[in-house]
Amino acid sequence: MSDCPLCRQPQPGEIWRNKNFYVIDAGGDGLPGYIRLVCCGHVKEMTGLSQKVRLEMLELLTVIERIMIAVMAPDKVNLASLGNMVPHLHWHIIARWADDAYFPDSIWSAPRRAAPDGQTMRQRTELAARMVEELKRALEPFS
Amino acid sequence: MSDCPLCRQPQPGEIWRNKNFYVIDAGGDGLPGYIRLVCCGHVKEMTGLSQKVRLEMLELLTVIERIMIAVMAPDKVNLASLGNMVPHLHWHIIARWADDAYFPDSIWSAPRRAAPDGQTMRQRTELAARMVEELKRALEPFS
């Protein structure tokens, strides 16, 4: 769909793409370690995918979550497919820490506190950059 | 874990259970059409499941989303596995409408408006009850 922002390519922050999915580094703004997995086709809901592509989706989510945990060791990983604003299937995979601005609420909730200080944030931003590099390598076989 | 609220059984609102997962009717309070899929084991992240059980998870999510759409025809389905408050793997599967209190934000965001009026809500609550009955039948083969 020509007016859908997730149908455009390439996407800002795009780190990988195959014929079914692409991956975005969406980190920044107090939330380092934030990846988006987006369906290439303009599909609204997960059940709009073929079973084969839905299984690929799960495999990609699994790879992303595993690498996020292995490299960043967050307190929790959050996974969400909402799409109320842009009804084009996309997953948020977000590293969460007990001291981030929103914890234990969702990142779409009102913040509870300021983001962690510069030193903590710099460390996590470095880890996020390493995670993205690991992820690019891990996604290679799916290309 | 004895102090984990999601490890207890049976759970309030429980509509189905097998050895790996259980399903909760979590509808109400302005959000009719709200299902939770919960892992029976005290597993924190999706990648903590075996591949076999993770595939079962996807199959169950798919069944739930399909029946939610078929019976309730919401404007959007929201899927989320957060677990920041209770780090025991559970999925929220939520029917969303453009006139619900939070749309297009997440249901964990600040409300934008009052929930729809009594008539609309009564219709949706009826649809949600039908959805739950359909779901029980559809989950039977997974028992």
Side-chain angles (χ1 to χ4, degrees):
Chain A
M1 266 183 40
S2 61
D3 58 344
C4 170
L6 294 183
C7 283
R8 286 181 213 132
Q9 69 175 83
Q11 285 282 320
E14 185 176 318
I15 60 172
W16 176 84
R17 179 182 286 267
N18 75 3
K19 72 180 200 301
N20 295 321
F21 294 96
Y22 64 89
V23 171
I24 296 288
D25 173 8
D29 276 352
L31 290 168
Y34 189 153
I35 298 290
R36 280 199 199 100
L37 173 68
V38 189
C39 182
C40 294
H42 190 75
V43 173
K44 186 172 159 190
E45 309 282 10
M46 174 187 79
T47 46
L49 301 174
S50 70
Q51 196 188 0
K52 186 164 172 255
V53 175
R54 194 161 49 245
L55 288 172
E56 186 184 1
M57 176 196 87
L58 180 65
E59 215 172 341
L60 292 168
L61 284 173
T62 301
V63 167
I64 296 166
E65 183 181 287
R66 259 197 200 124
I67 289 177
M68 187 173 275
I69 291 171
V71 179
M72 304 196 72
D75 292 323
K76 190 70 190 72
V77 174
N78 286 181
L79 305 172
S81 167
L82 308 178
N84 305 320
M85 299 208 193
V86 182
H88 173 138
L89 184 63
H90 60 285
W91 285 87
H92 306 268
I93 303 103
I94 313 155
R96 300 297 310 277
W97 278 271
D99 63 357
D100 74 38
Y102 307 91
F103 203 89
D105 298 323
S106 86
I107 66 152
W108 301 282
S109 308
R112 288 190 178 227
R113 65 187 74 81
D117 67 18
Q119 166 79 353
T120 301
M121 213 44 124
R122 270 193 301 279
Q123 282 170 350
R124 288 182 195 163
T125 302
E126 269 175 46
L127 285 176
R130 252 157 65 190
M131 187 256 301
V132 166
E133 291 313 307
E134 289 271 347
L135 197 47
K136 284 179 188 168
R137 278 192 288 275
L139 291 170
E140 225 13 80
F142 295 89
S143 293
Chain B
M1 267 182 42
S2 60
D3 58 344
C4 171
L6 294 183
C7 282
R8 286 181 213 132
Q9 67 175 74
Q11 285 281 321
E14 184 175 319
I15 61 172
W16 175 85
R17 178 183 285 266
N18 75 3
K19 73 181 199 300
N20 295 321
F21 293 97
Y22 64 87
V23 171
I24 296 288
D25 173 7
D29 275 352
L31 289 168
Y34 190 153
I35 297 291
R36 281 199 199 101
L37 174 68
V38 188
C39 182
C40 295
H42 190 75
V43 173
K44 185 172 160 189
E45 308 282 9
M46 174 187 78
T47 46
L49 300 174
S50 69
Q51 196 187 0
K52 187 165 172 254
V53 174
R54 195 161 49 247
L55 288 171
E56 186 184 1
M57 177 196 86
L58 180 65
E59 215 172 339
L60 292 168
L61 283 173
T62 301
V63 166
I64 296 167
E65 182 180 286
R66 260 198 199 122
I67 288 178
M68 188 174 274
I69 292 171
V71 178
M72 304 196 72
D75 292 323
K76 190 69 189 69
V77 175
N78 286 181
L79 305 172
S81 167
L82 308 178
N84 305 321
M85 299 208 193
V86 182
H88 173 138
L89 184 64
H90 60 284
W91 285 88
H92 306 268
I93 304 103
I94 312 155
R96 300 296 310 276
W97 278 272
D99 63 357
D100 73 39
Y102 306 91
F103 203 91
D105 298 322
S106 85
I107 65 151
W108 301 283
S109 308
R112 288 188 178 229
R113 65 187 74 82
D117 66 19
Q119 166 78 354
T120 301
M121 215 42 124
R122 270 193 301 278
Q123 283 169 351
R124 288 181 195 164
T125 303
E126 269 175 45
L127 285 176
R130 251 157 65 190
M131 188 256 299
V132 166
E133 292 311 308
E134 290 269 348
L135 197 47
K136 285 180 188 169
R137 278 191 288 275
L139 291 170
E140 226 12 81
F142 295 88
S143 293

